Amino acid sequence: MINAFDANHPSVALARLDLHDRLVTADPRIAQLNEQAGGAIGAVLALPAVATVARLARRLGIVIARAAIVADGDDDLDLWVRASPEADATALQISGWRMREPQPPLTGAVAIAAFDDADADFRWESDAAMCLTALSGDIAAGGAFDTGALLGKPITRFLILDDDGDGIVSILAAAANGAGFADQLATVAASGRRVRLSASARRDPAGRFAGFIGAGRFMAPMMGPPPVAEDIASAFPEAFSDRLERALRVPLERIVAHADSIGAQTEGPVKSEYVEYAQDIASAARHLMGLVDDLVDLQAIERPDFRVEAEAIDLADVARRAGGLLAVRASNADVRIDRPDFSETLAARGEFRRALQILVNLVGNAVRYSPPGAVVSIGLERAEGKARVTVADRGKGIAIADQQKIFEKFGRVDANELGGTGLGLYIARRLARAMGGDVTLESAPGQGARFTLTLLTEGKG
């Protein structure tokens, strides 16, 4: 049996899988563990938890780092698996190698979670960013959606989460505190079925929160028709946005600050793999903060009394600021933003903050979908009593059949493609129309995309 603490073994072991999960090469430590599980070089990897991380990384096309538990004889090992997809293989770095301690008797919320698991209708797992890493069981009964397509996506992509009446959402509070939870009520968005979730917190080799291992049970059938996507905002209490910010924003800001501090090595040098982990944590926390922002905006714009200010603004100045805010992101992606010259002006009527929000979204999308070395251009136009700002990219473009879909709530052309929540363009168009304008698109496959924000000029309307 492998000794997890054997000083003769390096702390990081390497392996490679082909595109069919066959083990191509492996350091002795991984090879021996795989052989104990009945595997061999050239055969499919016999460590399911490790293979799952590799498959997820390969499907999403990004580096994935996750905790994994594997059997080592009569014992279990806690491992940290980092999977890097390549053209014809998946490279694995496995560290941690810590013997898993016997688990103490469960009490409180975690005990309830284990009880629910005993007769669960489905089981699920997530990472620390609340993105699904596993989903099995009867959750997709009736073919409402493809469970495989949900892997790597936020859990909120398929569940509408209830709060406890005081604005606290159990699963989100548990994630912020790195703890387990029980009795999180939710609605499956695609089918309207009501579910009760519970989960235990999972930990990485350093003892940090790494996500959830959970279960769910269906509740009694709903009376009446299930909610449709257009009614999702009505599921939120009136003060939901304020309570959501109180419950999540401060903890997330602290997570970002601490992770950035570790990544920048401000307190002294750390191992390179921990720098990467810190960067992953900060990125995941920022993703959650973006989701919070989108949900707050969604709740606001769909209220009947939602209004925007009508003031004189300079759209050229707004466009320059939007480009400046995204300059670092563009530089990191090897993309250049061509902003309007400081001598240019473009008077319009609207709300400065909302116009900036729209253009940050448009420019951010253009940077995200532009290839390295490309230029994102921001152009200005004044015609027929209207002011227009056009953001053009050199990306792969959008087919005409898909152009309306991307402006819909949670609309995505490719659900497997990395990106935001599917709310950004929906919110941007709603804001523009609330200001008497619009956001429109011109695009074709292979020809990039041109998104245009149009507002009335100063003195019109």
Side-chain angles (χ1 to χ4, degrees), residues 65-153:
R66 296 287 186 272
I69 302 172
V70 301
D72 180 16
D74 294 330
D75 299 310
D76 288 331
L77 290 177
D78 278 320
L79 304 178
W80 188 253
V81 181
R82 187 175 189 272
S84 305
E86 300 174 354
D88 58 354
T90 303
L92 299 177
Q93 294 182 11
I94 300 181
S95 58
W97 301 95
R98 185 175 63 179
M99 197 72 70
R100 189 171 180 81
E101 297 294 334
Q103 299 299 305
L106 297 175
T107 59
V110 178
I112 297 173
F115 173 80
D116 280 355
D117 183 73
D119 58 349
D121 293 304
F122 62 91
R123 292 172 175 79
W124 59 278
E125 298 182 24
S126 79
D127 61 15
M130 296 287 292
C131 293
L132 288 168
T133 57
L135 184 62
S136 63
D138 192 36
I139 187 68
F145 48 74
D146 176 12
T147 55
L150 293 172
L151 295 182
K153 305 298 189 300

Side-chain angles (χ1 to χ4, degrees), residues 87-453:
D88 58 354
T90 303
L92 299 177
Q93 294 182 11
I94 300 181
S95 58
W97 301 95
R98 185 175 63 179
M99 197 72 70
R100 189 171 180 81
E101 297 294 334
Q103 299 299 305
L106 297 175
T107 59
V110 178
I112 297 173
F115 173 80
D116 280 355
D117 183 73
D119 58 349
D121 293 304
F122 62 91
R123 292 172 175 79
W124 59 278
E125 298 182 24
S126 79
D127 61 15
M130 296 287 292
C131 293
L132 288 168
T133 57
L135 184 62
S136 63
D138 192 36
I139 187 68
F145 48 74
D146 176 12
T147 55
L150 293 172
L151 295 182
K153 305 298 189 300
I155 195 170
T156 48
R157 285 290 298 273
F158 80 104
L159 290 178
I160 303 171
L161 303 172
D162 292 10
D163 70 18
D164 64 359
D166 292 321
I168 301 300
V169 180
S170 297
I171 186 174
L172 301 183
N177 294 317
F181 67 91
D183 289 332
Q184 168 67 63
L185 302 181
T187 302
V188 181
S191 66
R193 299 185 74 177
R194 294 286 288 167
V195 297
R196 174 179 283 108
L197 304 178
S198 56
S200 301
R202 60 196 305 183
R203 303 284 173 184
D204 67 16
R208 295 168 299 196
F209 176 69
F212 293 114
I213 300 176
R217 292 192 299 176
F218 294 117
M219 300 169 63
M222 294 183 61
M223 301 301 294
V228 296
E230 290 302 319
D231 293 329
I232 188 171
S234 65
F236 299 140
E238 184 175 345
F240 174 78
S241 59
D242 293 336
R243 294 196 290 264
L244 184 67
E245 291 223 310
R246 287 199 303 271
L248 287 181
R249 183 164 297 282
V250 172
L252 287 172
E253 286 175 346
R254 288 175 180 168
I255 290 172
V256 170
H258 289 310
D260 281 342
S261 177
I262 295 171
Q265 304 184 61
T266 56
E267 301 297 327
V270 297
K271 292 181 179 180
S272 59
E273 58 263 34
Y274 292 119
V275 172
E276 293 180 8
Y277 299 159
Q279 292 169 346
D280 289 344
I281 291 169
S283 177
R286 288 191 175 95
H287 174 81
L288 280 175
M289 289 176 68
L291 177 59
V292 171
D293 290 338
D294 284 346
L295 290 175
V296 169
D297 281 332
L298 179 64
Q299 193 270 342
I301 66 175
E302 296 199 330
R303 289 182 54 160
D305 58 350
F306 175 71
R307 298 288 184 274
V308 295
E309 297 293 330
E311 55 190 2
I313 60 174
D314 180 1
L315 267 184
D317 176 58
V318 178
R320 284 190 292 268
R321 291 172 184 261
L325 289 171
L326 293 160
V328 173
R329 184 191 302 181
S331 177
N332 291 338
D334 190 22
V335 173
R336 181 169 63 86
I337 300 176
D338 185 10
R339 292 183 282 171
D341 189 87
F342 280 96
S343 63
E344 296 184 81
T345 61
L346 184 60
R349 297 287 295 179
E351 184 175 328
F352 176 88
R353 180 174 66 93
R354 295 302 191 180
L356 180 61
Q357 179 180 348
I358 294 169
L359 288 176
V360 165
N361 177 268
L362 299 184
V363 177
N365 286 344
V367 170
R368 177 184 295 125
Y369 295 111
S370 291
V375 177
V376 170
S377 62
I378 304 176
L380 308 176
E381 181 184 10
R382 181 187 295 104
E384 300 175 352
K386 296 180 180 179
R388 296 186 177 91
V389 178
T390 297
V391 178
D393 64 54
R394 310 296 193 273
K396 63 182 181 180
I398 303 168
I400 294 177
D402 294 323
Q403 291 182 14
Q404 180 56 38
K405 181 178 181 180
I406 65 173
F407 286 104
E408 296 173 356
K409 195 185 304 182
F410 301 109
R412 299 285 300 280
V413 173
D414 182 358
N416 295 321
E417 190 173 45
L418 296 178
T421 61
L423 288 171
L425 287 173
Y426 172 80
I427 292 171
R429 174 171 274 184
R430 287 288 296 260
L431 290 174
R433 289 179 174 176
M435 292 187 286
D438 204 353
V439 173
T440 55
L441 166 64
E442 297 177 53
S443 184
Q447 298 182 23
R450 289 167 49 87
F451 285 88
T452 299
L453 166 63

Side-chain angles (χ1 to χ4, degrees), residues 13-15 23 26-35 47 94 97:
L14 307 179
L23 188 62
D27 287 348
R29 205 174 194 186
I30 300 175
Q32 185 178 348
L33 194 63
N34 185 58
E35 289 173 7
L47 307 173
I94 300 181
W97 301 95

